[in-house]
Amino acid sequence: MMHSCIQRRIRSLCLIFSLCNSVLVFASHAKHLCRPDQKDALWEFKSEFYVDGLHSDGTPVDKKTERWKNNIDCCSWDGISCDPKTGILPDSISNLKYLRVLSLGGCSFYGQIPSSLGNLSYLTNLDLSHNEFIGELPDSMGNLKKLTDLGLDHNKISGNFPHVLLNMSELTQIDIGSNQFEGMLPSNMSSLSKLVYFDINENSFYGSIPPSLFMIPSLIQLYMGRNSFSGPLEIGNISSLSPLGFLALGDNNFNGPIPRFITKLVGLWYLDLALWNTEKGKVDFSIFLHLESLTFLDLSYINTRSRVDLSLFSDLMSLGYLDLSGINLKISPTLHLLSPIEILTLSSCNIAEFPKFLKTQTSLSYLDISANQIKGQVPKWLWRLPLLRYVNISQNSFTGFEGSADVIQRSEILLLDISSNTFQDPFPLLPNSTKFFVGSNNQFSGEIPKTICKLASLDTLVLSDNNFNGSIPRCFENFSTKLSVMHLRNNSLSGTFPEESIGDHLKSLDVGGNRLSGVLPKSLINCTRLEFLNVENNMIHDTFPFWLRLLTNLQVLVLRSNEFHGPISSPAFSLSFPKLRIFDISKNRFTGVLPSYYFAGWTAMSLVIDIVDIMPSRFEGRDSGNLYNSVSMTAKGLVMELVGSGFTIYKTIDVSGNKLQGDIPESISLLKELIVLNMSNNAFTGHISPSLENLTNLQSLDLSQNRLSGEIPPELGKLTFLARMNFSYNMLEGPIPQGTQIQSQSSSSFAENPRLCGVPLQETCGRGDDATTQEQEDEDGEKDQVLSWIAAAIGYVPGVFCGVVIGHILSSYKRDWFMKIFHSFA
């Protein structure tokens, strides 16, 4: 809600009005009092942003209202101060021509940026970041000739680079990062002669970078990462380079040698060249030795073929951040780095021994040596590093820990990822400071240690793919106010799921692949933040949990391969899952008929919606928020494991292997973003609806082993992404549609339909001119039915519109580190 944003800072600049994380700055002629029209306009503008009878600080509207009304001097109102220099407020925001600072960041605004903002010709600072603005930047923005700071980052603004900005010569800061801009940058970037800060990170810009950008005499910080820039970076003979201190070019498609002009940037302290595609795998690492001021260096996954000696970087005395992931490293046992490294990432570097030089890195707070070939035990001296808080040693061949059982417990570790090794018992004792522990895919056995229950700050617990047995500890109730991720998947846990172990902060719960019995704990209804729930492959004996519809943030629901039974619809209410993207209830004993409107409220499968990240960011040890989420699914005839980023792609419905009856609900055709639909091995009857042609993103369709009749609709041939389909073991008849990808399927996809004919079956079709018109009448009836349930769906979700988006705001961990905005773990 907009009023929930109003709690942020209020600056004392000229005339300031706090509004939804916002700051409005004006100028005033009056030395003491503002004019009546100014007061009225402020009052009118303010009133538009307070709703539900409460202000952001919880003060009832009437109390603060009375204080404003009783004081005729608006310059002394709460959140307002005046500067006796020029002009004041007209009646509406579009006419506030003396407005100087407008900050509306993080207020959930949507739609296009209004062209009326161009009327605010006195604006010097404009912040519309972290909203949901769409469309192109209006040309009227060119009227803002006095604008110095422009923040439009983290929206969905599109189009080419706004040429209108090139005429705004006073701009010192431009931030349009994390949007949907595309195209090439204009060649005359040097017209922004006062630019100091330029951020176009995370867009879709392509082509080469214009050399004029590096000619801006004031440019210090340049963020251009995570785009699609390509080609070698060549700037020619420029007599005067920008005094760059911050240069981020990583995660693009550059090729060719590392540009040598970098050596002339003597003040450079931040350099990101990740994923640079060097020419023939040759990299001249001596380039970086000239950059003595470097404190941040990211060369991860540049494609050098040679083995690189880590000692090459020993002369960079100021390095605080170093990422050489993906580079084949040589690390001498006698190596000694003098730089005070705080964050070190050496993932996938073919390291075979634990790096001994780390023993003297007393400033180290973050260490990632994952995905290497290190064997044996983790040295006990590692836990004595005084500032070490984040450790990722996953995907190696470690077997244990040197030292006593409490060697780790004496540290102050916050995050520890030891997954995908061969660790065995005893299970390590963890320090009370632990917030994130990932121990999956090891060889731990026995009962889950109750010592874990003493970790009062634990947020993430991942113990999947081990050999734990026994029951889920009841003492997990100690986590009820903290734990957000609990994954115990693929162990041998048994017994019932204890109600008290469910904390109301849970966002992700995975207990699939165990031997749990009983019913699904109804205490989950208190987990209003729950987004991921997987209980597949257990022995849970229960009816369908209709109460899960109250968890409006649920995105993944997997109940497959259990003993659920009974109907999955109720005449008392509609089953709405507005954010659900994976629904798998296969291989149970569900029964009954699904009403035609069954899928009408499943908004996320109807619209293009971004995934929400529910796990800690890469800075806390992960490349993806969903790295430890996984489910098995059947698609295109194969059983596959869907892990991590797969959740951003697949929108799946699998109700196969049950006893569902009646017609396939017509509302299924509402789900235009559906990728996989599996309704096989049930008792569905009736015809296959032509309305399935609306599922334009469908890649896999399985309707086999039902009692479907009639013809295969030719309209399915319009589904160009549909690569695999199965109609076998039904009562279908008539010709298989020709000239489409349908006939390219193997004959097994149409087997055991005695009256079906045409390629790829051997049966030929001998249909004559006496075909009745009954089929056409049936089709017309089906279309009428489609119209009726579409109308019902429109009535059911009146608030749904095309711009609905689940906000996915993922800040760059690199920039966070450099701005010293560390996670607070107090």
Side-chain angles (χ1 to χ4, degrees):
M1 296 297 292
M2 206 169 293
H3 63 282
S4 67
C5 300
I6 311 177
Q7 301 175 5
R8 218 189 269 177
R9 80 276 175 200
I10 297 177
R11 305 173 191 166
S12 294
L13 299 173
C14 304
L15 176 59
I16 308 176
F17 182 42
S18 177
L19 175 68
C20 182
N21 287 354
S22 68
V23 179
L24 304 184
V25 181
F26 304 93
S28 171
H29 281 304
K31 293 182 179 180
H32 302 292
L33 303 178
C34 58
R35 297 195 306 260
D37 63 317
Q38 301 168 359
K39 175 184 174 182
D40 293 343
L42 270 172
W43 178 258
E44 177 184 349
F45 192 61
K46 166 191 171 294
S47 63
E48 295 180 8
F49 292 90
Y50 291 97
V51 297
D52 297 337
L54 290 176
H55 293 289
S56 60
D57 60 1
T59 306
V61 170
D62 57 347
K63 290 185 178 180
K64 187 171 286 188
T65 296
E66 288 304 314
R67 290 202 301 269
W68 277 41
K69 282 186 175 180
N70 293 335
N71 192 337
I72 62 173
D73 184 7
C74 65
C75 293
S76 62
W77 285 353
D78 294 343
I80 302 293
S81 62
C82 295
D83 185 342
K85 291 186 178 178
T86 59
I88 192 65
L89 249 171
D91 292 333
S92 66
I93 189 171
S94 62
N95 294 318
L96 301 178
K97 62 180 180 180
Y98 297 109
L99 190 65
R100 290 171 52 187
V101 176
L102 175 59
S103 179
L104 298 172
C107 291
S108 300
F109 287 114
Y110 57 87
Q112 292 189 314
I113 295 176
S115 60
S116 58
L117 279 180
N119 296 333
L120 308 180
S121 57
Y122 281 80
L123 268 186
T124 59
N125 298 71
L126 176 60
D127 180 9
L128 302 178
S129 64
H130 292 277
N131 283 292
E132 297 176 14
F133 288 115
I134 62 172
E136 298 186 7
L137 206 63
D139 291 339
S140 62
M141 295 284 286
N143 298 331
L144 307 181
K145 302 296 185 182
K146 297 185 178 182
L147 199 66
T148 60
D149 291 359
L150 175 62
L152 302 175
D153 55 291
H154 292 92
N155 281 285
K156 298 184 182 300
I157 306 171
S158 57
N160 292 327
F161 181 85
H163 281 70
V164 65
L165 300 182
L166 300 177
N167 299 322
M168 300 162 67
S169 58
E170 297 298 316
L171 279 171
T172 61
Q173 177 170 314
I174 297 176
D175 190 347
I176 58 173
S178 301
N179 276 288
Q180 297 175 1
F181 288 107
E182 58 184 358
M184 301 178 67
L185 294 181
S187 59
N188 57 334
M189 295 297 296
S190 56
S191 62
L192 296 168
S193 58
K194 297 183 180 180
L195 197 61
V196 175
Y197 178 103
F198 186 54
D199 187 345
I200 59 172
N201 193 55
E202 290 189 67
N203 280 285
S204 299
F205 291 112
Y206 56 81
S208 58
I209 296 178
S212 60
L213 186 60
F214 296 94
M215 299 171 59
I216 299 174
S218 54
L219 189 60
I220 294 178
Q221 296 192 48
L222 180 57
Y223 299 84
M224 308 187 74
R226 302 180 188 180
N227 279 282
S228 298
F229 291 112
S230 59
L233 181 56
E234 299 174 348
I235 63 173
N237 296 320
I238 296 179
S239 57
S240 179
L241 274 171
S242 303
L244 284 171
F246 193 114
L247 180 59
L249 300 174
D251 293 353
N252 278 287
N253 298 321
F254 290 116
N255 54 47
I258 303 294
R260 296 201 66 85
F261 77 85
I262 291 177
T263 61
K264 300 179 182 179
L265 302 174
V266 293
L268 195 65
W269 50 273
Y270 182 113
L271 180 60
D272 179 3
L273 299 177
L275 291 173
W276 196 285
N277 185 14
T278 57
E279 192 174 53
K280 297 181 180 180
K282 296 180 180 180
V283 180
D284 183 3
F285 285 94
S286 65
I287 290 176
F288 308 110
L289 303 183
H290 300 279
L291 305 175
E292 297 180 356
S293 299
L294 272 183
T295 56
F296 183 110
L297 180 60
D298 187 348
L299 301 178
S300 58
Y301 298 100
I302 60 175
N303 70 324
T304 176
R305 296 179 182 176
S306 59
R307 196 176 185 194
V308 179
D309 196 325
L310 187 58
S311 63
L312 284 173
F313 301 93
S314 59
D315 291 335
L316 298 177
M317 303 293 290
S318 300
L319 267 185
Y321 180 110
L322 179 62
D323 189 345
L324 300 177
S325 297
I327 297 176
N328 188 2
L329 286 181
K330 175 185 177 182
I331 303 178
S332 169
T334 60
L335 174 66
H336 184 62
L337 293 182
L338 297 178
S339 53
I341 295 180
E342 297 177 37
I343 297 179
L344 179 64
T345 305
L346 303 177
S347 178
S348 303
C349 292
N350 291 322
I351 301 172
E353 295 183 9
F354 204 97
K356 293 182 174 60
F357 77 92
L358 295 174
K359 192 172 184 178
T360 59
Q361 294 297 313
T362 55
S363 297
L364 195 65
S365 66
Y366 177 103
L367 174 64
D368 183 351
I369 52 173
S370 61
N372 282 291
Q373 302 162 17
I374 309 175
K375 301 177 181 179
Q377 295 188 314
V378 181
K380 59 184 177 182
W381 53 256
L382 177 67
W383 315 108
R384 296 186 191 131
L385 295 177
L387 301 179
L388 192 63
R389 300 293 182 267
Y390 305 89
V391 176
N392 185 351
I393 55 175
S394 64
Q395 299 179 66
N396 280 284
S397 299
F398 289 112
T399 57
F401 300 92
E402 280 185 357
S404 59
D406 62 348
V407 63
I408 304 176
Q409 196 173 36
R410 293 195 295 262
S411 70
E412 296 184 33
I413 292 295
L414 298 173
L415 179 147
L416 179 58
D417 189 343
I418 63 172
S419 61
S420 299
N421 280 281
T422 55
F423 285 109
Q424 301 177 2
D425 300 324
F427 191 85
L429 296 174
L430 302 173
N432 291 333
S433 56
T434 306
K435 287 214 165 196
F436 310 105
F437 179 74
V438 183
S440 55
N441 196 19
N442 280 289
Q443 298 176 16
F444 295 119
S445 59
E447 294 188 348
I448 295 176
K450 292 182 173 58
T451 54
I452 293 177
C453 300
K454 298 179 181 179
L455 306 178
S457 299
L458 197 63
D459 174 277
T460 297
L461 177 64
V462 181
L463 299 176
S464 302
D465 297 288
N466 279 284
N467 299 311
F468 288 114
N469 55 37
S471 59
I472 297 174
R474 293 185 179 275
C475 62
F476 275 14
E477 64 181 328
N478 295 350
F479 304 139
S480 60
T481 61
K482 295 286 185 181
L483 198 66
S484 65
V485 176
M486 182 165 67
H487 289 186
L488 308 175
R489 174 184 176 83
N490 290 344
N491 282 282
S492 299
L493 300 173
S494 57
T496 60
F497 204 117
E499 293 270 353
E500 55 268 33
S501 65
I502 303 295
D504 56 11
H505 277 57
L506 269 181
K507 290 185 177 180
S508 183
L509 175 62
D510 188 347
V511 294
N514 283 285
R515 301 171 185 171
L516 299 175
S517 56
V519 299
L520 196 65
K522 287 187 170 58
S523 54
L524 282 169
I525 199 171
N526 298 320
C527 303
T528 56
R529 306 177 187 182
L530 194 66
E531 299 173 4
F532 182 99
L533 176 60
N534 183 9
V535 298
E536 67 179 331
N537 293 316
N538 279 286
M539 297 180 288
I540 298 175
H541 186 82
D542 201 354
T543 57
F544 185 83
F546 290 106
W547 41 269
L548 285 178
R549 75 186 190 281
L550 302 176
L551 303 180
T552 56
N553 289 310
L554 196 61
Q555 297 183 30
V556 176
L557 175 60
V558 182
L559 307 179
R560 67 179 287 154
S561 298
N562 276 282
E563 298 174 12
F564 287 99
H565 55 91
I568 63 172
S569 64
S570 171
F573 48 78
S574 297
L575 190 65
S576 174
F577 289 113
K579 294 184 179 180
L580 201 66
R581 60 186 63 247
I582 293 181
F583 180 69
D584 188 345
I585 61 170
S586 61
K587 298 181 180 179
N588 282 285
R589 300 200 303 271
F590 290 119
T591 58
V593 176
L594 302 185
S596 61
Y597 57 80
Y598 188 78
F599 298 104
W602 298 33
T603 311
M605 296 191 190
S606 304
L607 304 173
V608 178
I609 298 179
D610 294 336
I611 190 80
V612 171
D613 200 349
I614 64 175
M615 294 277 280
S617 66
R618 179 178 174 183
F619 181 76
E620 294 169 345
R622 294 168 175 78
D623 290 325
S624 169
N626 292 289
L627 184 59
Y628 297 103
N629 285 347
S630 64
V631 294
S632 298
M633 61 173 291
T634 303
K636 301 180 182 179
L638 301 174
V639 177
M640 65 180 72
E641 190 83 0
L642 191 60
V643 180
S645 59
F647 294 105
T648 68
I649 302 171
Y650 275 90
K651 294 183 180 180
T652 302
I653 290 178
D654 189 345
V655 298
S656 63
N658 285 287
K659 300 178 181 180
L660 300 174
Q661 301 174 333
D663 291 345
I664 294 174
E666 285 284 353
S667 55
I668 194 75
S669 61
L670 265 182
L671 311 183
K672 297 180 181 180
E673 296 299 312
L674 199 61
I675 301 292
V676 175
L677 176 60
N678 189 349
M679 308 186 85
S680 65
N681 196 14
N682 278 284
F684 286 115
T685 56
H687 294 181
I688 300 174
S689 173
S691 65
L692 289 180
E693 68 175 319
N694 294 328
L695 306 182
T696 52
N697 289 293
L698 199 64
Q699 297 180 18
S700 177
L701 173 63
D702 192 344
L703 301 178
S704 63
Q705 299 186 67
N706 281 288
R707 300 173 185 173
L708 299 171
S709 58
E711 296 187 350
I712 298 175
E715 289 84 353
L716 296 185
K718 300 176 182 178
L719 302 178
T720 55
F721 294 117
L722 188 56
R724 204 259 181 191
M725 58 196 81
N726 191 348
F727 303 102
S728 62
Y729 293 89
N730 279 286
M731 296 183 287
L732 298 172
E733 59 185 65
I736 296 172
Q738 302 296 298
T740 69
Q741 80 277 18
I742 297 178
Q743 67 176 15
S744 67
Q745 303 294 305
S746 67
S747 59
S748 62
S749 296
F750 307 95
E752 301 303 322
N753 287 279
R755 301 181 63 183
L756 205 58
C757 59
V759 178
L761 296 177
Q762 295 182 352
E763 293 83 356
T764 58
C765 300
R767 188 170 180 176
D769 296 332
D770 59 344
T772 69
T773 60
Q774 184 62 40
E775 294 177 0
Q776 181 63 41
E777 292 174 358
D778 290 344
E779 184 175 322
D780 291 341
E782 289 177 354
K783 291 181 178 178
D784 291 341
Q785 188 178 6
V786 170
L787 292 176
S788 66
W789 65 255
I790 286 179
I794 293 173
Y796 180 74
V797 275
V800 176
F801 56 94
C802 294
V804 170
V805 176
I806 301 175
H808 179 200
I809 301 172
L810 182 58
S811 300
S812 169
Y813 71 96
K814 300 171 185 174
R815 190 185 314 174
D816 283 353
W817 177 78
F818 244 102
M819 301 310 173
K820 296 296 182 183
I821 305 177
F822 281 93
H823 245 58
S824 173
F825 292 99

